Amino acid sequence: NTIRGKVRGRTRRSRFSTTGLGKFNLNANDSRTITADAGGVAISVAYGKAGSGNSTSVAVGAAIAINEIEQGFVEASVADSTIVTVGATEISASSTTTIDALALAGAAAVGVSSKGGTTFSGAGAYTSNDIDVDLTAAVTGSSVTATGVAVKTTNNATIDAETYGVSIAAGVSTGRGAGAALSVGVSL
């Protein structure tokens, strides 16, 4: 999942004035969100009769979640303008972008044999998450008269990612036969 975009709050070549306790606020906020859940499950069962000599069971489960909020640009700016307020003036750019990702993979393999058998089970889960947002708050070439002036940026971007890989294998052999089992679980 990929999200790209820009958020702008700008005033150019303008004149603003307030009366009383009036304030001037120019705010730009980016609040894009990605919620992604990925899952993969595999189950395999093999059974061999006596004298058959072979029994094989393989199971592989995988899950991948790749999420990006990129090329983000948040701008709050005043240029070539005049602002006269009795109250405060605030120019702010903020980001509250969020990525919430879950990748879950599971695999189970069971092999039963009297004279042979192989069981393999593998599961893998992977997540990659990236937030790239540039913030700009500025007053340029302007005149501001106010009881207070605040020009600020705030980045509250969050990533919550969980990955789980679970694998179970069982190999059973009765009598004089051979049995084997291998299980691998990976989470990145």
Side-chain angles (χ1 to χ4, degrees):
N1 303 299
T2 301
I3 298 176
R4 295 180 183 96
K6 296 177 173 54
V7 177
R8 287 191 169 122
R10 300 188 287 187
T11 183
R12 302 279 185 263
R13 294 187 235 21
S14 301
R15 178 169 174 77
F16 297 93
S17 62
T18 64
T19 58
L21 297 176
K23 300 178 180 181
F24 178 85
N25 292 323
L26 178 61
N27 303 307
N29 180 45
D30 180 8
S31 59
R32 295 173 289 172
T33 299
I34 293 176
T35 301
D37 296 331
V41 176
I43 298 173
S44 178
V45 177
Y47 172 80
K49 289 185 177 182
S52 68
N54 58 26
S55 173
T56 302
S57 178
V58 176
V60 178
I64 298 174
I66 299 173
N67 305 293
E68 299 174 322
I69 296 176
E70 62 183 25
Q71 298 175 4
F73 182 76
V74 182
E75 175 189 10
S77 64
V78 174
D80 304 320
S81 298
T82 301
I83 299 171
V84 178
T85 65
V86 177
T89 294
E90 179 180 294
I91 314 300
S92 67
S94 61
S95 174
T96 55
T97 54
T98 302
I99 294 176
D100 185 1
L102 170 66
L104 174 63
V110 177
V112 178
S113 176
S114 292
K115 294 192 178 181
T118 303
T119 300
F120 170 80
S121 175
Y126 173 77
T127 62
S128 173
N129 303 286
D130 184 45
I131 296 176
D132 179 18
V133 177
D134 294 326
L135 302 171
T136 301
V139 177
T140 58
S142 299
S143 170
V144 178
T145 304
T147 57
V149 177
V151 179
K152 61 183 181 177
T153 61
T154 306
N155 188 351
N156 289 319
T158 59
I159 296 174
D160 181 15
E162 299 177 57
T163 59
Y164 300 98
V166 178
S167 178
I168 300 170
V172 178
S173 179
T174 60
R176 294 187 182 156
L182 174 64
S183 179
V184 178
V186 178
S187 176
L188 300 173

